[in-house]
Coordinates of all heavy atoms in Angstrom, one line a residue:
M18 N 27.7 12.0 83.1 CA 26.8 12.6 84.1 C 26.3 13.9 83.6 O 27.2 14.8 83.3 CB 27.6 12.7 85.4 CG 26.7 13.1 86.6 SD 26.3 14.7 86.9 CE 27.8 15.6 86.9
E19 N 25.0 14.1 83.5 CA 24.5 15.4 83.1 C 24.1 16.3 84.3 O 23.3 15.9 85.1 CB 23.3 15.3 82.2 CG 23.6 14.8 80.9 CD 22.4 14.8 80.0 OE1 21.5 15.7 80.1 OE2 22.3 13.9 79.1
Q20 N 24.9 17.4 84.5 CA 24.5 18.3 85.6 C 23.5 19.3 85.1 O 23.7 19.8 84.0 CB 25.8 19.0 86.1 CG 25.5 19.9 87.2 CD 26.8 20.5 87.7 OE1 27.9 20.1 87.4 NE2 26.7 21.6 88.5
S21 N 22.5 19.5 85.8 CA 21.5 20.5 85.4 C 22.2 21.9 85.3 O 23.0 22.3 86.1 CB 20.4 20.6 86.5 OG 19.4 21.5 86.2
E22 N 21.8 22.6 84.2 CA 22.4 23.9 84.0 C 22.1 24.8 85.1 O 21.0 24.9 85.5 CB 21.9 24.5 82.6 CG 22.6 25.7 82.2 CD 22.1 26.2 80.9 OE1 21.8 25.4 80.0 OE2 22.1 27.5 80.7
G23 N 23.1 25.5 85.6 CA 22.9 26.5 86.7 C 22.9 25.8 88.0 O 22.6 26.5 89.0
S24 N 23.1 24.5 88.1 CA 23.0 23.8 89.3 C 24.4 23.7 90.0 O 25.4 23.6 89.3 CB 22.5 22.3 89.0 OG 22.5 21.5 90.2
E25 N 24.4 23.7 91.3 CA 25.6 23.5 92.1 C 25.9 22.0 92.1 O 24.9 21.2 91.8 CB 25.4 24.0 93.5 CG 25.1 25.4 93.6 CD 26.4 26.3 93.5 OE1 27.4 25.8 93.9 OE2 26.2 27.4 93.0
L26 N 27.0 21.5 92.5 CA 27.4 20.1 92.4 C 27.9 19.7 93.8 O 28.8 20.4 94.4 CB 28.4 19.8 91.4 CG 28.9 18.3 91.3 CD1 27.7 17.4 90.9 CD2 30.0 18.2 90.3
L27 N 27.4 18.6 94.4 CA 27.9 18.0 95.6 C 28.2 16.6 95.3 O 27.4 15.8 94.9 CB 26.8 18.1 96.6 CG 27.0 17.3 98.0 CD1 28.2 17.9 98.7 CD2 25.8 17.3 98.8
D28 N 29.5 16.3 95.5 CA 30.0 14.9 95.3 C 30.1 14.1 96.5 O 31.0 14.4 97.4 CB 31.4 14.9 94.6 CG 31.8 13.6 94.1 OD1 31.2 12.5 94.5 OD2 32.8 13.5 93.3
A29 N 29.1 13.3 96.8 CA 29.0 12.5 98.1 C 29.3 11.0 97.7 O 29.1 10.2 98.6 CB 27.6 12.6 98.7
R30 N 30.0 10.7 96.7 CA 30.4 9.3 96.3 C 31.3 8.8 97.4 O 32.2 9.5 97.8 CB 30.9 9.3 94.9 CG 29.9 9.5 93.8 CD 30.5 9.5 92.5 NE 31.4 10.7 92.3 CZ 32.0 11.0 91.2 NH1 31.8 10.2 90.1 NH2 32.7 12.1 91.1
G31 N 31.1 7.6 97.8 CA 31.9 6.9 98.7 C 31.6 7.2 100.2 O 32.1 6.6 101.1
L32 N 30.7 8.1 100.4 CA 30.2 8.4 101.8 C 29.0 7.5 102.1 O 28.2 7.2 101.3 CB 29.8 9.9 101.9 CG 30.9 10.9 101.6 CD1 30.4 12.3 101.7 CD2 32.1 10.7 102.5
R33 N 28.9 7.1 103.4 CA 27.8 6.3 103.9 C 26.9 7.1 104.8 O 27.3 8.1 105.4 CB 28.4 5.1 104.7 CG 29.5 4.3 103.9 CD 29.0 3.2 103.1 NE 28.1 2.3 103.8 CZ 27.2 1.5 103.2 NH1 27.1 1.6 101.9 NH2 26.5 0.7 103.9
C34 N 25.6 6.6 104.9 CA 24.7 7.2 105.7 C 25.2 7.4 107.1 O 25.9 6.5 107.7 CB 23.4 6.3 105.8 SG 22.1 7.0 106.7
P35 N 25.1 8.6 107.7 CA 24.2 9.7 107.5 C 25.0 10.8 106.8 O 24.4 11.9 106.6 CB 23.7 10.1 108.8 CG 24.9 10.0 109.7 CD 25.5 8.6 109.1
E36 N 26.2 10.6 106.3 CA 27.0 11.8 105.8 C 26.4 12.4 104.5 O 26.4 13.6 104.5 CB 28.4 11.3 105.4 CG 29.3 11.0 106.7 CD 30.6 10.4 106.4 OE1 30.7 9.3 105.8 OE2 31.6 11.1 106.7
P37 N 25.9 11.6 103.5 CA 25.4 12.4 102.3 C 24.2 13.3 102.7 O 24.2 14.5 102.2 CB 24.9 11.2 101.5 CG 25.8 10.1 101.8 CD 26.0 10.2 103.3
V38 N 23.3 12.9 103.6 CA 22.2 13.8 103.9 C 22.6 14.9 104.8 O 22.1 16.1 104.7 CB 21.0 13.0 104.5 CG1 21.2 12.6 105.9 CG2 19.7 13.8 104.3
M39 N 23.6 14.7 105.6 CA 24.2 15.8 106.4 C 24.8 16.9 105.5 O 24.6 18.1 105.7 CB 25.2 15.3 107.4 CG 24.5 14.5 108.5 SD 25.7 13.6 109.6 CE 26.6 15.0 110.3
L40 N 25.6 16.5 104.5 CA 26.1 17.4 103.5 C 25.0 18.1 102.7 O 25.2 19.3 102.4 CB 27.1 16.7 102.6 CG 28.4 16.2 103.2 CD1 29.1 15.3 102.2 CD2 29.2 17.3 103.7
L41 N 24.0 17.4 102.4 CA 22.9 18.0 101.7 C 22.3 19.1 102.5 O 22.0 20.1 101.9 CB 21.9 16.8 101.3 CG 20.6 17.3 100.6 CD1 20.9 17.9 99.2 CD2 19.6 16.1 100.4
H42 N 22.0 18.9 103.8 CA 21.5 19.9 104.6 C 22.4 21.2 104.6 O 21.9 22.3 104.5 CB 21.4 19.4 106.1 CG 20.1 18.7 106.4 ND1 18.9 19.4 106.6 CD2 19.8 17.4 106.5 CE1 18.0 18.5 106.9 NE2 18.5 17.3 106.8
R43 N 23.7 20.9 104.7 CA 24.6 22.1 104.8 C 24.6 22.8 103.5 O 24.5 24.1 103.5 CB 26.0 21.6 105.1 CG 27.0 22.7 105.3 CD 28.4 22.2 105.4 NE 28.9 21.8 104.1 CZ 29.9 21.0 103.8 NH1 30.6 20.5 104.8 NH2 30.2 20.8 102.6
E44 N 24.6 22.1 102.3 CA 24.6 22.8 101.1 C 23.3 23.6 100.8 O 23.3 24.7 100.3 CB 24.8 21.8 99.9 CG 26.2 21.3 99.9 CD 27.3 22.4 99.7 OE1 27.1 23.2 98.8 OE2 28.2 22.4 100.5
F45 N 22.1 23.0 101.2 CA 20.9 23.6 101.0 C 20.7 24.9 101.8 O 20.1 25.8 101.4 CB 19.7 22.6 101.3 CG 19.1 22.1 100.0 CD1 19.8 21.4 99.1 CD2 17.7 22.4 99.7 CE1 19.3 20.9 97.9 CE2 17.2 21.9 98.6 CZ 17.9 21.2 97.7
A46 N 21.4 24.9 103.0 CA 21.3 26.1 103.8 C 21.9 27.4 103.2 O 21.4 28.5 103.4 CB 22.1 25.9 105.2
R47 N 22.8 27.2 102.2 CA 23.4 28.3 101.6 C 22.7 28.7 100.2 O 23.0 29.7 99.7 CB 24.9 28.1 101.4 CG 25.3 27.0 100.5 CD 26.8 26.9 100.3 NE 27.1 26.1 99.2 CZ 27.1 26.5 97.9 NH1 26.7 27.7 97.6 NH2 27.4 25.7 96.9
L48 N 21.8 27.8 99.7 CA 21.2 28.1 98.5 C 20.0 29.0 98.7 O 19.4 29.0 99.7 CB 20.7 26.7 97.8 CG 21.8 25.8 97.4 CD1 21.1 24.5 96.8 CD2 22.7 26.4 96.4
E49 N 19.6 29.7 97.6 CA 18.4 30.5 97.6 C 17.2 29.6 97.1 O 17.4 28.6 96.4 CB 18.6 31.7 96.7 CG 19.7 32.6 97.1 CD 19.4 33.4 98.4 OE1 18.2 33.7 98.6 OE2 20.3 33.7 99.1
R50 N 16.0 30.0 97.5 CA 14.8 29.3 97.0 C 14.8 29.2 95.5 O 15.1 30.2 94.8 CB 13.6 30.1 97.5 CG 12.3 29.4 97.1 CD 11.1 30.1 97.6 NE 10.0 29.4 97.1 CZ 8.8 29.6 97.6 NH1 8.6 30.6 98.5 NH2 7.7 28.9 97.1
G51 N 14.6 28.1 94.9 CA 14.5 27.9 93.5 C 15.8 27.4 92.9 O 15.8 26.9 91.8
E52 N 16.9 27.5 93.6 CA 18.2 27.1 93.1 C 18.3 25.5 93.2 O 17.6 24.9 94.1 CB 19.4 27.6 93.9 CG 19.6 29.1 93.6 CD 20.8 29.7 94.3 OE1 21.0 29.5 95.5 OE2 21.7 30.2 93.5
E53 N 19.0 24.9 92.3 CA 19.2 23.5 92.2 C 20.5 23.0 92.6 O 21.6 23.7 92.5 CB 18.9 23.0 90.8 CG 17.4 23.2 90.4 CD 17.1 22.6 89.0 OE1 18.1 22.2 88.3 OE2 15.9 22.6 88.7
L54 N 20.5 21.8 93.2 CA 21.8 21.1 93.6 C 21.8 19.8 93.0 O 20.9 19.0 93.1 CB 21.8 21.0 95.1 CG 23.1 20.3 95.7 CD1 24.3 21.1 95.5 CD2 22.8 20.1 97.2
T55 N 22.9 19.4 92.2 CA 23.1 18.1 91.7 C 24.0 17.3 92.7 O 25.0 17.9 93.1 CB 23.7 18.1 90.3 OG1 22.9 18.8 89.4 CG2 24.0 16.8 89.8
V56 N 23.6 16.1 93.1 CA 24.3 15.4 94.1 C 24.6 14.0 93.4 O 23.8 13.4 92.8 CB 23.4 15.1 95.3 CG1 24.2 14.4 96.4 CG2 22.9 16.4 95.9
L57 N 25.9 13.7 93.6 CA 26.4 12.3 93.1 C 26.6 11.5 94.4 O 27.2 12.0 95.4 CB 27.8 12.5 92.4 CG 27.8 13.5 91.3 CD1 29.2 13.5 90.8 CD2 26.8 13.3 90.3
A58 N 26.1 10.3 94.4 CA 26.2 9.4 95.6 C 26.3 8.0 95.2 O 25.9 7.6 94.1 CB 24.9 9.6 96.5
T59 N 26.8 7.2 96.2 CA 26.9 5.7 95.9 C 26.2 5.0 97.0 O 25.9 3.8 96.7 CB 28.4 5.3 95.9 OG1 29.1 5.8 97.1 CG2 29.2 5.8 94.7
D60 N 25.8 5.6 98.1 CA 25.1 4.9 99.1 C 23.6 4.7 98.7 O 22.9 5.7 98.5 CB 25.2 5.7 100.4 CG 24.6 4.9 101.6 OD1 23.8 4.0 101.4 OD2 24.8 5.4 102.8
P61 N 23.1 3.5 98.6 CA 21.8 3.2 98.2 C 20.7 3.8 99.1 O 19.6 4.1 98.7 CB 21.6 1.7 98.1 CG 22.9 1.1 98.5 CD 23.9 2.2 98.9
S62 N 21.0 4.1 100.4 CA 20.1 4.6 101.3 C 19.7 6.1 100.9 O 18.8 6.6 101.4 CB 20.6 4.6 102.8 OG 21.7 5.4 103.0
T63 N 20.5 6.7 100.1 CA 20.2 8.1 99.6 C 18.9 8.1 98.9 O 18.2 9.2 98.9 CB 21.4 8.7 98.8 OG1 21.6 7.9 97.7 CG2 22.6 8.9 99.7
R64 N 18.5 7.1 98.2 CA 17.2 7.0 97.5 C 16.1 7.4 98.5 O 15.3 8.2 98.2 CB 17.0 5.6 96.9 CG 17.8 5.3 95.7 CD 17.5 3.9 95.1 NE 18.3 3.6 94.0 CZ 19.2 2.7 94.0 NH1 19.5 2.1 95.1 NH2 19.9 2.5 92.9
R65 N 16.1 6.7 99.6 CA 15.1 6.9 100.6 C 15.3 8.3 101.3 O 14.4 9.1 101.5 CB 15.1 5.8 101.7 CG 14.2 6.0 102.8 CD 14.6 5.1 104.0 NE 15.9 5.6 104.5 CZ 16.9 4.7 104.8 NH1 16.8 3.4 104.6 NH2 18.0 5.1 105.2
D66 N 16.6 8.6 101.7 CA 16.9 9.7 102.6 C 16.7 11.0 101.8 O 16.1 11.9 102.4 CB 18.3 9.7 103.0 CG 18.6 8.5 104.0 OD1 17.7 8.0 104.6 OD2 19.8 8.2 104.2
F67 N 17.0 11.1 100.5 CA 16.9 12.4 99.8 C 15.4 12.6 99.5 O 14.9 13.8 99.6 CB 17.6 12.4 98.5 CG 19.1 12.5 98.7 CD1 19.7 12.5 100.0 CD2 20.0 12.5 97.7 CE1 21.1 12.7 100.2 CE2 21.4 12.6 97.8 CZ 21.9 12.7 99.1
A68 N 14.6 11.6 99.2 CA 13.1 11.7 99.0 C 12.5 12.2 100.3 O 11.6 13.1 100.3 CB 12.5 10.4 98.5
Q69 N 12.8 11.7 101.4 CA 12.3 12.0 102.7 C 12.7 13.5 103.0 O 11.9 14.3 103.6 CB 12.7 11.1 103.8 CG 12.1 11.3 105.1 CD 12.5 10.2 106.1 OE1 13.5 9.6 106.0 NE2 11.7 10.1 107.1
F70 N 14.0 13.8 102.8 CA 14.5 15.2 103.0 C 13.6 16.2 102.3 O 13.1 17.2 102.8 CB 15.9 15.3 102.5 CG 16.5 16.6 102.5 CD1 17.1 17.2 103.6 CD2 16.5 17.4 101.3 CE1 17.7 18.4 103.5 CE2 17.1 18.7 101.3 CZ 17.7 19.2 102.4
C71 N 13.3 15.9 101.0 CA 12.4 16.9 100.2 C 11.0 16.9 100.7 O 10.4 18.0 100.9 CB 12.4 16.4 98.7 SG 14.0 16.7 97.9
R72 N 10.4 15.7 101.0 CA 9.1 15.7 101.5 C 8.9 16.5 102.9 O 8.0 17.3 103.0 CB 8.6 14.2 101.8 CG 7.7 13.7 100.8 CD 7.1 12.4 101.2 NE 8.0 11.4 101.9 CZ 8.8 10.6 101.4 NH1 8.9 10.6 100.0 NH2 9.5 9.8 102.1
Q73 N 9.8 16.2 103.8 CA 9.7 16.8 105.1 C 10.0 18.3 105.1 O 9.5 19.1 105.9 CB 10.6 16.2 106.1 CG 10.2 14.7 106.4 CD 11.1 14.1 107.4 OE1 12.2 14.5 107.6 NE2 10.6 13.0 108.1
L74 N 10.9 18.8 104.2 CA 11.3 20.2 104.3 C 10.8 21.1 103.1 O 11.2 22.2 103.0 CB 12.9 20.2 104.3 CG 13.5 19.5 105.5 CD1 15.0 19.5 105.4 CD2 13.0 20.2 106.8
G75 N 9.9 20.5 102.3 CA 9.3 21.3 101.2 C 10.2 21.6 100.0 O 10.0 22.6 99.3
H76 N 11.2 20.7 99.8 CA 12.0 20.8 98.6 C 11.5 19.9 97.5 O 10.6 19.1 97.8 CB 13.5 20.5 99.0 CG 14.0 21.4 100.1 ND1 14.0 22.7 100.1 CD2 14.6 21.0 101.3 CE1 14.5 23.2 101.2 NE2 14.9 22.2 101.9
E77 N 12.1 20.0 96.3 CA 11.6 19.1 95.2 C 12.8 18.2 94.7 O 13.9 18.7 94.4 CB 11.1 20.0 94.1 CG 10.7 19.3 92.9 CD 10.2 20.1 91.7 OE1 10.2 21.4 91.9 OE2 9.9 19.6 90.7
L78 N 12.5 16.9 94.6 CA 13.4 16.0 93.9 C 13.1 16.1 92.5 O 12.1 15.5 92.0 CB 13.3 14.6 94.5 CG 14.2 13.5 93.9 CD1 15.6 13.9 94.1 CD2 13.9 12.2 94.6
V79 N 13.9 16.8 91.7 CA 13.6 17.1 90.3 C 13.8 15.9 89.5 O 13.0 15.6 88.6 CB 14.4 18.3 89.8 CG1 14.2 18.5 88.3 CG2 14.1 19.5 90.6
N80 N 14.9 15.2 89.8 CA 15.3 14.0 88.9 C 16.2 13.1 89.8 O 17.0 13.6 90.6 CB 16.0 14.5 87.7 CG 16.2 13.3 86.7 OD1 15.4 12.4 86.6 ND2 17.3 13.5 85.9
S81 N 16.1 11.8 89.5 CA 17.1 10.9 90.1 C 17.3 9.8 89.0 O 16.4 9.4 88.3 CB 16.6 10.3 91.3 OG 15.4 9.5 91.1
S82 N 18.6 9.4 88.9 CA 19.0 8.4 87.9 C 20.3 7.7 88.4 O 20.8 8.1 89.4 CB 19.3 9.1 86.5 OG 20.3 10.0 86.6
E83 N 20.7 6.7 87.7 CA 21.8 6.0 88.0 C 22.7 5.9 86.7 O 22.2 5.6 85.6 CB 21.5 4.6 88.5 CG 22.7 3.9 89.0 CD 22.3 2.6 89.8 OE1 21.1 2.4 90.1 OE2 23.3 1.8 90.0
T84 N 24.0 6.2 86.9 CA 24.8 6.2 85.7 C 26.3 5.8 86.2 O 26.7 6.2 87.2 CB 24.9 7.5 85.0 OG1 25.7 7.4 83.9 CG2 25.4 8.7 85.9
D85 N 27.0 5.0 85.4 CA 28.3 4.6 85.7 C 28.6 4.1 87.1 O 29.6 4.4 87.8 CB 29.3 5.8 85.4 CG 29.3 6.2 84.0 OD1 29.1 5.3 83.1 OD2 29.4 7.4 83.7
G86 N 27.5 3.4 87.7 CA 27.7 2.9 89.0 C 27.5 3.8 90.2 O 27.8 3.5 91.3
Y87 N 26.9 5.0 89.9 CA 26.6 5.9 91.0 C 25.2 6.6 90.7 O 24.7 6.5 89.6 CB 27.7 6.9 91.3 CG 28.1 7.8 90.2 CD1 27.4 9.0 90.0 CD2 29.1 7.4 89.3 CE1 27.8 9.8 88.9 CE2 29.4 8.3 88.2 CZ 28.8 9.5 88.1 OH 29.1 10.3 87.0
L88 N 24.7 7.1 91.8 CA 23.4 7.8 91.7 C 23.5 9.3 91.5 O 24.5 9.9 92.0 CB 22.6 7.5 93.0 CG 22.4 6.0 93.4 CD1 22.2 5.9 94.9 CD2 21.3 5.5 92.5
V89 N 22.6 9.8 90.7 CA 22.6 11.3 90.4 C 21.3 11.8 90.7 O 20.3 11.3 90.3 CB 22.9 11.5 88.9 CG1 22.9 13.0 88.6 CG2 24.2 10.8 88.5
Y90 N 21.3 12.8 91.6 CA 20.0 13.5 92.0 C 20.1 15.0 91.6 O 21.2 15.6 91.7 CB 19.8 13.4 93.5 CG 19.8 12.0 94.1 CD1 21.0 11.4 94.5 CD2 18.6 11.3 94.1 CE1 21.0 10.1 95.1 CE2 18.6 10.0 94.6 CZ 19.8 9.5 95.1 OH 19.8 8.2 95.6
V91 N 19.0 15.5 91.2 CA 18.8 17.0 91.1 C 17.7 17.4 92.0 O 16.6 16.9 91.9 CB 18.5 17.4 89.6 CG1 18.3 18.9 89.5 CG2 19.6 16.9 88.7
L92 N 18.0 18.3 93.0 CA 17.1 18.7 93.9 C 17.0 20.2 93.8 O 17.9 20.9 93.6 CB 17.6 18.4 95.3 CG 17.8 16.9 95.6 CD1 19.3 16.5 95.5 CD2 17.3 16.5 96.9
R93 N 15.7 20.7 94.0 CA 15.5 22.2 94.0 C 15.0 22.6 95.4 O 14.1 22.1 96.0 CB 14.4 22.5 93.0 CG 14.1 24.0 92.8 CD 13.1 24.3 91.7 NE 13.6 23.8 90.4 CZ 12.9 23.0 89.6 NH1 11.8 22.6 90.0 NH2 13.5 22.6 88.4
K94 N 15.6 23.7 95.8 CA 15.3 24.3 97.1 C 13.9 24.9 97.1 O 13.6 25.7 96.2 CB 16.3 25.3 97.6 CG 16.0 25.8 99.0 CD 17.2 26.6 99.6 CE 16.8 27.0 101.0 NZ 18.0 27.6 101.6
G95 N 13.1 24.5 98.0 CA 11.7 25.1 98.1 C 11.7 26.2 99.2 O 12.7 26.7 99.6
G96 N 10.5 26.4 99.7 CA 10.2 27.5 100.6 C 10.7 27.2 101.9 O 11.0 28.0 102.7

């Protein structure tokens, strides 16, 4: 798993909807604009939920991939 340099890490593996997106909200609240968060998840609904989170709140989904049976997201806090 490649974590983006300077990125915080949130491990949401094993959690089911709505827990991963709730944790994402909490972590983003403490980040500054432009900071990145790498999230590890296993719930397939995070594909939809994280994209919608970014669209609705003005954040950026920098990258998403799958490795070793889990999903890896890099998100950047927007305005």
Side-chain angles (χ1 to χ4, degrees):
M18 192 278 307
E19 286 188 34
Q20 181 177 346
S21 180
E22 185 175 330
S24 175
E25 300 283 329
L26 178 65
L27 172 63
D28 189 349
R30 291 177 290 185
L32 301 178
R33 307 270 309 154
C34 183
E36 290 176 296
V38 78
M39 290 171 60
L40 289 174
L41 180 60
H42 273 282
R43 187 186 75 199
E44 289 300 310
F45 257 62
R47 66 177 195 77
L48 295 179
E49 297 292 327
R50 182 180 180 165
E52 288 187 304
E53 292 184 352
L54 178 67
T55 299
V56 184
L57 311 179
T59 50
D60 187 345
S62 69
T63 56
R64 289 183 179 106
R65 175 199 64 229
D66 294 345
F67 288 2
Q69 186 175 22
F70 171 86
C71 289
R72 256 192 322 276
Q73 289 180 342
L74 299 174
H76 305 303
E77 180 184 355
L78 180 58
V79 177
N80 190 27
S81 64
S82 61
E83 190 168 345
T84 184
D85 298 328
Y87 58 91
L88 303 159
V89 180
Y90 302 94
V91 179
L92 302 102
R93 182 176 298 126
K94 185 169 182 174

